Amino acid sequence: MPETRRRLLGGVGLLALGGCGFRPLYAPDGGGAGVADSRMAAELAAVRVGLIPERNGQLLRRALQQRLDPQGAGLPGRYDLRASFRLAADPEGFHRDGTASRIRYTATATWVLLTLGTPPEEVASGTARAAEAWNILDNQFFASDQSRGAAERRLTELLAEDIVLRLALRFRAPTVG
């Protein structure tokens, strides 16, 4: 019963917000999103993501591909998304002997969206940043390595979400070429 009630209240809340012009960015067509949002989804699915070097770059590329074309529509490419990935680590906490006990990662992805025409034209560009921290556990190397890997995966997911959101907003604008 609480789940049904929560859905009903959420639906009523979205209807109320619809009256003031609010529209969810990723609403399905059946939710009243209309033709503009279908066009935006098609434009996102037409983005091809270039190779990004190193392991975290590969994770970022995969996360971008999954978000850009979640249905696997396989539409012909119209755009080329080129991104770079940079990761910086800073110690935040220290043990009494001076060794680090906590590491803060700052990830930065610089990206540019180009048309596939000749010559390619820039459609949009930007920089996405995300931060994450993880603890270095004493004498638990496997757990520390797992924590580091999980932090890196979260960072790539956050960066991908930010980039796709910016692209979606750009494609939702009426003057996208």
Side-chain angles (χ1 to χ4, degrees):
M1 184 69 167
E3 181 64 30
T4 305
R5 192 164 145 200
R6 195 173 307 134
R7 284 187 188 158
L8 177 64
L9 291 174
V12 169
L14 284 178
L15 286 174
L17 287 173
C20 68
F22 173 81
R23 286 182 20 215
L25 184 61
Y26 295 114
D29 288 341
V35 175
D37 293 330
S38 295
R39 184 181 64 79
M40 179 192 60
E43 293 292 314
L44 287 173
V47 173
R48 299 297 169 257
V49 183
L51 296 176
I52 307 171
E54 299 184 7
R55 177 67 182 145
N56 288 320
Q58 294 169 359
L59 292 173
L60 177 60
R61 181 175 188 250
R62 185 180 66 187
L64 285 165
Q65 289 172 325
Q66 290 171 344
R67 283 172 174 74
L68 289 167
D69 191 10
Q71 305 300 322
L75 297 174
R78 293 188 50 210
Y79 304 98
D80 181 25
L81 179 63
R82 297 178 188 170
S84 64
F85 182 88
R86 191 178 73 235
L87 187 65
D90 296 311
E92 281 191 331
F94 297 93
H95 294 288
R96 288 185 179 152
D97 66 357
T99 59
S101 63
R102 185 168 175 82
I103 301 290
R104 179 179 178 81
Y105 276 161
T106 304
T108 306
T110 304
W111 58 272
V112 61
L113 183 69
L114 304 167
T115 61
L116 288 179
T118 305
E121 295 179 27
E122 184 176 314
V123 176
S125 64
T127 301
R129 289 184 183 83
E132 181 70 42
W134 58 280
N135 293 323
I136 300 173
L137 304 172
D138 292 335
N139 298 322
Q140 296 183 19
F141 303 108
F142 178 77
S144 291
D145 193 50
Q146 288 294 97
S147 295
R148 180 190 49 78
E152 290 173 357
R153 284 188 300 278
R154 281 191 302 272
L155 285 170
T156 60
E157 295 290 327
L158 289 169
L159 292 175
E161 189 66 33
D162 185 28
I163 292 170
V164 172
L165 179 61
R166 291 176 193 220
L167 291 175
L169 290 171
R170 176 69 175 108
F171 286 135
R172 187 176 235 186
T175 57
V176 174

